[in-house]
């Protein structure tokens, strides 16, 4: 179907104010496709009061702790999107705030895992690209008392790129392409290249990769990479090593590529070397990833085993040592953290897994289960920590002291904070409040944690808490207006599915309503991925409508199933085991819904389903596989065509999920693709998609046309200029109205 860029089709709708008012007129007629232009949106569907409520709920934005806390345990650099001055130093005792304005055209590096180091008691260091007339890179010193910034040239060699500052701010790790070019290029899907970063190809790790900052990815070098250390006080450069083309590092929010001891004397990072494509007869990176995902590579020949290593440098002694995965039990290293004294480190590692129908263990793609291996500085093993509650970390675990490690992990339906004594072996949960903990930092000086926290009930704010889990205190109230508008409650529901396994879910309802519920409208929601966490956190957008739909009379059921963090290794891998993909989680959700109906919590006329990305796939496959079970559906930014995704998208991850390529089993690939099953859909379906989504909008249009063509009520809203998910506030506001109106009508009174 042709795309009409910039065209807006205005359609008049009736605004609804309550569930009881439903039944008069559907929000969309069959065969109706609306294209929302870049500069305009259609008129509001709901009343002015309701639109303003949505606007306030969606305006809640998550503050972040960007840096570590100063040596005195007093302040940290934070980002507060809803504060008048967004960037500044927060006093963790009083909540006082000193704004910082960097100015200039080149943004500073604000990643606390690589930069933002305390050089003394009051100054924090980072770097940025130089402005016109400056050196290519400049060092920035930010005074935490005044907020003033000083700039000085960063005298790196031509071609060098800053990579990481040591925690004490004395040493800078740099990287560069070597002088001698290495032939060949890295071949990965949807890659992006920059002219500065030696790791110039960003290879997504899976379908659940969100777009933008923090995306899970490999950083892959298309040429060799030379690492050096610069002493910022003397200007001296010390070469470390050169790694070949195909060197890959993990780089995303939960794992940082480089780790240093507190005094900067010890440095380490994890790397994997993958063959690069240099001729027609050699495998590309994507070929290697795919064969590994299919279990076709003998561990002895698998680069994810044989070329995975921890590189360790003792900078005082000028020693370099190496810990190879293939010689260390076969667990794949992914990241590491040093103890403050540099005497030991903790390596994050993923055990291989064996799946039905695959000859060899699977080492790629990334897993949902992690173990922790402790070593001394000379690489002698100390201990291996394997605990189910620690298996799915949300943020890289870090040392609180030389004897204590903090683990922010997904554990069931929430994020939890665990404290582990490396000497005692005692594991203690210190978090008390349910919800999501993010950007967690610790201060040894005052024995406190500072972090962001949110839940279904509370929008995100910054907090402090004692290391024993007591005295959790809010430091900001930036989203107070959203909190005042939010009126929901959350309870857990646990029911067995056909296999006998108990599944647990959150039911988010309008505040003050009866629980257990009696015949209420509810929408089953699934996260993107598979692999995305499904936890107690704030969101008021249509793609994650926890604080949207319940505030307008419609409950939301958050039901984590297979391949979700926090539920153990077996549940994670069940989705890719045998022929399960496209079936096992879809069918278990249907079983759960039927049990809810049998208990009288809801009825078939009042159950909807929604989600974005893999959640959109889940919703689409559910209404195709279980026609008549759901009364309304709202898939968004959906994966719909599995053979096409293998051919032009994340082939390795699709192969991992399916267990075969489409050339081996095209029939199953098509059976698992909702676009080919559209004629089976009898559920009224509202489709959302962005015109620039990497999942092609044309496939979504075909899915919509197939549903509409059989006479099922269907509607498609395409957002021109949007990518994977809707990000423009005006579009998110309109999208929310479409979703509310759709579910209000189709989950309303019997018609």
């Amino acid at each position: 179907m042709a795309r009409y860029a910039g065209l807006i089709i205005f359609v008049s709708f009736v605004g609804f104010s309550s569930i009881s008012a439903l039944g008069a007129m559907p929000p969309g007629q069959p065969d109706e496709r609306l294209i929302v232009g870049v500069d305009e949106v259609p008129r509001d569907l709901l009343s002015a009061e309701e639109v303003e409520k949505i606007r306030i709920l969606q305006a809640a934005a998550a503050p972040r702790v960007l840096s570590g806390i100063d040596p005195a345990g007093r302040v940290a650099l934070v980002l507060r999107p809803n504060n008048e001055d967004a960037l500044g130093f927060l006093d963790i005792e009083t909540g006082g705030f000193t704004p910082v304005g960097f100015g200039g055209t080149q943004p500073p590096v604000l990643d606390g895992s690589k930069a933002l180091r305390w050089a003394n008691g009051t100054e924090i260091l980072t770097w940025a690209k130089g402005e016109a007339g400056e050196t290519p890179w400049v060092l920035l010193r930010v005074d935490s008392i005044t907020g003033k910034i000083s700039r000085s040239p960063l005298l790196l060699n031509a071609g060098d790129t800053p990579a990481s500052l040591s925690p004490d701010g004395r040493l800078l790790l740099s990287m560069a392409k070597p002088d001698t070019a290495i032939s060949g290029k890295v071949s990965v899907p949807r890659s992006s290249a920059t002219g500065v970063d030696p790791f110039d190809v960003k290879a997504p790790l899976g379908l659940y990769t969100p777009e933008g900052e923090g995306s899970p990815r490999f950083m892959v070098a298309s040429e060799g990479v030379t690492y050096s250390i610069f002493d910022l006080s003397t200007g001296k450069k010390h070469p470390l090593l050169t790694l070949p083309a195909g060197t890959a590092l993990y780089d995303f929010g939960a794992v940082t590529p480089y780790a240093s001891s507190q005094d900067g004397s010890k440095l380490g990072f994890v790397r994997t070397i993958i063959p690069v494509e240099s001729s027609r007869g050699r495998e590309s990176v994507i070929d290697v990833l795919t064969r590994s995902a299919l279990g076709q590579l003998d561990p002895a020949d698998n680069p994810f085993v044989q070329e995975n290593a921890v590189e360790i440098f003792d900078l005082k002694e000028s020693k370099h040592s190496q810990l190879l995965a293939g010689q260390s039990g076969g667990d794949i290293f992914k990241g590491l953290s040093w103890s403050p004294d540099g005497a030991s480190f903790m390596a994050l590692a993923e055990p291989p897994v064996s799946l039905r129908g695959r000859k060899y263990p699977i080492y790629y793609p990334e897993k949902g289960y992690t173990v922790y291996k402790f070593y001394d500085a000379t690489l002698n093993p100390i201990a291996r920590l394997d605990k189910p509650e620690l298996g799915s970390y949300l943020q890289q675990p870090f040392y609180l002291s030389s004897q204590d490690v903090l683990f922010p992990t997904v554990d069931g339906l929430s994020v939890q904070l665990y404290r582990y004594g490396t000497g005692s072996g005692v594991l203690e949960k210190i978090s008390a409040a349910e919800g999501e903990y993010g950007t967690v930092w610790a201060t040894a000086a005052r024995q406190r944690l500072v972090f962001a926290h949110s839940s279904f009930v509370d929008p995100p704010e910054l907090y402090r808490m004692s290391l024993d889990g007591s005295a959790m205190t809010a430091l900001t109230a930036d989203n107070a207006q959203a909190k005042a508008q939010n009126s929901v409650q959350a309870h857990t529901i646990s029911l067995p599915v056909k296999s006998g396994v108990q599944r647990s879910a959150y039911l988010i309802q309008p505040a003050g309503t009866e629980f257990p519920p009696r015949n209420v409208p509810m929408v089953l929601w699934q996260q993107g991925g598979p692999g995305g966490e499904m936890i107690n956190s704030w969101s008021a957008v249509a793609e994650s409508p926890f604080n949207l739909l319940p505030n307008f009379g419609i409950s939301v059921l958050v039901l984590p199933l297979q391949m979700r963090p926090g539920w153990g290794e077996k549940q994670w891998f069940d989705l890719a085991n045998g022929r399960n993909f496209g079936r096992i989680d879809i069918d278990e959700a249907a079983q759960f819904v039927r049990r809810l109906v049998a208990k009288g919590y809801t009825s078939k006329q009042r159950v909807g389903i929604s989600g974005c990305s893999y959640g959109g796939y889940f919703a689409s496959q559910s209404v195709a596989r279980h026609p008549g079970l759901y009364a309304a559906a709202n898939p968004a930014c959906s994966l719909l065509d599995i053979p096409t995704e293998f051919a032009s998208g994340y082939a390795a991850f699709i192969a991992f999920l399916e267990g075969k390529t489409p050339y081996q089993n095209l029939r199953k690939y098509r059976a698992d693709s909702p676009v080919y099953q559209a004629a089976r859909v009898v559920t009224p379906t509202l489709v959302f998609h962005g015109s620039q989504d990497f999942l092609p909008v044309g496939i979504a249009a075909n899915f919509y046309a197939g549903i509409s063509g059989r006479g099922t009520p269907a509607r498609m809203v395409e957002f021109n200029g949007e990518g994977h998910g809707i990000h423009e506030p005006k579009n998110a506001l309109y999208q929310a109205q479409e979703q509310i109106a759709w579910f209000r009508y189709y989950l309303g009174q019997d018609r």
Side-chain angles (χ1 to χ4, degrees):
M1 185 173 290
R3 186 180 306 162
Y4 305 97
L7 175 65
I8 305 174
I9 304 171
F10 292 96
V11 183
S12 177
F13 297 99
V14 175
F16 303 106
S17 59
S18 68
I19 288 290
S20 62
L22 304 183
M25 185 177 182
Q29 297 296 332
D31 196 29
E32 184 163 45
R33 182 178 177 187
L34 173 67
I35 302 179
V36 176
V38 174
D39 299 321
E40 300 179 68
V41 292
R43 68 188 185 189
D44 291 331
L45 306 181
L46 307 183
S47 69
E49 181 182 1
E50 289 185 316
V51 170
E52 181 60 17
K53 183 181 181 75
I54 298 171
R55 193 190 312 276
I56 293 170
L57 291 168
Q58 290 188 338
R64 297 169 58 194
V65 185
L66 298 176
S67 76
I69 304 165
D70 75 320
R74 183 180 58 87
V75 298
L77 187 68
V78 302
L79 181 66
R80 301 171 66 182
N82 278 349
N83 194 56
E84 182 177 354
D85 297 296
L87 188 67
F89 289 96
L90 179 70
D91 188 311
I92 66 174
E93 286 293 326
T94 67
F97 190 71
T98 303
V100 173
F102 279 95
T105 61
Q106 300 294 337
V109 174
L110 296 178
D111 183 345
S113 68
K114 303 172 187 175
L116 300 176
R117 307 305 196 205
W118 289 98
N120 53 47
T122 61
E123 282 188 336
I124 204 166
L125 296 183
T126 188
W127 69 83
K129 290 183 181 179
E131 303 285 347
E134 293 184 319
T135 53
W137 299 97
V138 293
L139 189 69
L140 307 178
R141 293 179 179 270
V142 190
D143 190 296
S144 63
I145 298 175
T146 66
K148 293 183 178 179
I149 300 166
S150 60
R151 303 166 68 91
S152 58
L154 195 52
L155 300 176
L156 302 179
N157 293 356
D160 283 333
T161 299
S164 181
L165 277 167
S166 63
D168 60 0
R170 294 186 306 107
L171 305 175
L172 176 69
L173 177 70
S174 72
M175 54 188 180
K177 297 179 181 179
D179 295 334
T180 303
I182 298 176
S183 61
K185 69 173 185 176
V186 174
S187 173
V188 297
R190 298 172 186 149
S191 63
S192 61
T194 68
V196 177
D197 189 351
F199 290 91
D200 54 0
V201 180
K202 312 305 182 188
L205 291 177
L207 284 175
Y208 47 91
T209 305
E211 292 184 327
E213 183 180 359
S215 301
R217 61 187 181 178
F218 273 135
M219 302 192 308
V220 186
S222 59
E223 299 181 14
V225 181
T226 296
Y227 283 102
S228 301
I229 286 286
F230 279 85
D231 189 314
L232 296 180
S233 61
T234 66
K236 291 183 179 180
K237 177 180 179 180
H238 307 280
L240 292 180
L241 84 165
T242 296
L243 291 170
T247 296
L249 306 179
Y250 288 99
D251 182 25
F252 57 103
V255 170
T256 55
Y258 312 106
S260 295
S261 61
Q262 187 61 41
D263 65 357
S265 64
K266 305 285 175 43
L267 170 69
F269 62 88
V270 174
R271 57 79 173 164
T272 302
I273 300 173
I274 309 170
V276 297
E277 181 183 49
S278 59
S279 68
R280 192 182 183 99
R282 293 186 63 184
E283 286 188 306
S284 67
V285 170
I286 197 61
D287 294 330
V288 176
L289 299 179
T290 301
R291 291 186 63 204
S292 178
L294 290 171
Q296 295 176 350
L297 289 177
D298 188 313
D301 301 320
N302 193 324
F304 288 99
V305 185
Q306 302 305 324
E307 299 295 341
N308 174 254
V310 178
E311 305 280 357
I312 296 293
F313 301 89
D314 186 325
L315 301 179
K316 282 186 178 178
E317 302 294 331
S318 299
K319 292 182 179 179
H320 171 215
S321 53
Q322 201 176 67
L323 189 62
L324 297 171
Q327 300 174 11
S328 307
D331 296 334
I332 303 305
F333 297 117
K334 193 170 178 182
L336 69 142
S337 297
W338 283 97
S339 63
D341 58 8
S344 61
F345 66 89
M346 174 183 65
L348 286 63
E350 295 179 342
V353 64
S354 297
L355 299 178
R356 291 195 304 271
R358 307 189 204 193
K359 184 175 181 179
Y360 296 113
I362 307 298
Y363 297 89
Y364 175 87
E366 68 163 5
K367 317 300 189 300
Y369 192 79
T370 300
V371 298
Y372 306 91
K373 305 175 81 168
F374 295 84
Y375 297 87
D376 67 21
T378 58
L379 307 189
N380 295 308
I382 299 172
R384 184 178 189 269
L385 179 61
D386 183 353
K387 295 281 188 180
E389 55 267 59
L390 305 181
S392 301
Y393 58 87
L394 190 69
Q395 177 183 329
Q396 182 160 331
F398 59 90
Y399 282 83
L400 297 168
S401 69
S402 295
Q403 297 295 318
D404 286 288
V405 180
L406 187 78
F407 292 86
T409 74
V410 180
D411 184 15
L413 294 167
S414 282
V415 176
Q416 303 291 355
L417 302 179
Y418 285 93
R419 184 174 181 174
Y420 175 72
T422 57
S424 66
V426 174
L427 181 67
E428 175 190 10
K429 187 177 83 167
I430 64 172
S431 52
E434 295 295 302
E436 180 177 13
Y437 295 80
T439 61
V440 183
W441 294 87
T443 165
R446 302 201 181 191
Q447 294 289 292
R448 284 180 176 165
L449 300 174
V450 179
F451 51 86
H453 181 271
S454 77
S455 68
F456 298 139
V457 174
D458 294 312
E461 299 291 355
L462 297 180
Y463 294 81
R464 71 165 186 257
M465 183 175 75
S466 299
L467 284 180
D468 62 4
S470 65
M472 182 171 165
T473 304
L475 297 172
T476 62
D478 297 346
N479 296 309
Q481 196 176 11
K483 182 176 175 63
Q485 287 288 333
N486 188 47
S487 183
V488 307
Q489 63 188 35
H491 295 88
T492 58
I493 297 176
S494 294
L495 295 170
V497 293
K498 187 177 293 186
S499 66
V501 175
Q502 200 84 2
R503 297 297 185 208
S504 296
Y506 270 120
L507 181 66
I508 313 164
Q509 301 172 271
T513 55
E514 180 184 11
F515 184 86
R518 299 302 302 171
N519 194 27
V520 300
M522 68 175 63
V523 173
L524 170 64
W525 174 82
Q526 283 292 300
Q527 174 65 284
E533 62 271 1
M534 296 180 65
I535 54 176
N536 187 341
S537 63
W538 177 278
S539 175
V541 296
E543 290 150 6
S544 303
F546 321 139
N547 299 97
L548 180 65
L549 292 178
N551 273 299
F552 292 86
I554 302 168
S555 299
V556 172
L557 184 73
V558 179
L559 175 63
L561 296 164
Q562 286 74 16
M563 204 166 282
R564 299 297 180 188
W567 298 95
E569 188 175 18
K570 182 183 183 304
Q571 184 167 325
W572 176 275
F573 285 111
D574 270 351
L575 188 67
N577 218 352
R579 296 170 56 85
N580 282 350
F581 179 71
R583 304 177 183 191
I584 186 170
D585 55 342
I586 307 296
D587 294 348
E588 283 197 3
Q591 294 161 21
F592 198 94
V593 166
R594 290 187 175 101
R595 286 190 174 271
L596 293 176
V597 171
K599 285 181 168 291
Y601 292 177
T602 187
S603 60
K604 284 187 177 182
Q605 294 80 17
R606 310 203 95 187
V607 181
I609 188 168
S610 74
C612 174
S613 194
Y614 180 77
Y617 170 84
F618 187 100
S620 303
Q621 183 74 347
S622 291
V623 295
R625 191 166 171 84
H626 297 278
L629 177 60
Y630 300 96
N634 176 213
C637 48
S638 304
L639 170 68
L640 296 165
D641 188 334
I642 306 299
T644 295
E645 183 61 23
F646 179 90
S648 60
Y650 302 146
F653 194 63
I654 290 294
F656 167 70
L657 294 172
E658 289 283 3
K660 295 182 182 296
T661 70
Y663 314 115
Q664 297 169 306
N665 196 345
L666 182 59
R667 175 177 290 183
K668 184 172 188 300
Y669 267 67
R670 290 175 66 92
D672 293 341
S673 300
V675 72
Y676 300 113
Q677 319 303 322
R680 291 172 48 85
V681 176
V682 297
T683 298
T685 302
L686 171 64
V687 176
F688 292 145
H689 217 85
S691 65
Q692 304 304 310
D693 198 321
F694 60 75
L695 297 171
V697 68
I699 296 175
N702 289 339
F703 182 60
Y704 149 75
I707 297 172
S708 178
R710 79 174 311 279
T712 298
R715 177 173 174 79
M716 179 172 177
V717 182
E718 177 184 337
F719 292 89
N720 217 349
E722 294 279 13
H724 193 56
I726 305 306
H727 303 285
E728 282 292 327
K730 60 183 176 58
N731 289 338
L733 180 63
Y734 180 74
Q735 181 191 34
Q737 295 178 68
E738 285 272 3
Q739 183 185 72
I740 291 168
W742 191 263
F743 283 132
R744 275 182 165 174
Y745 180 77
Y746 286 107
L747 303 186
Q749 296 172 338
D750 295 346
R751 297 181 300 282

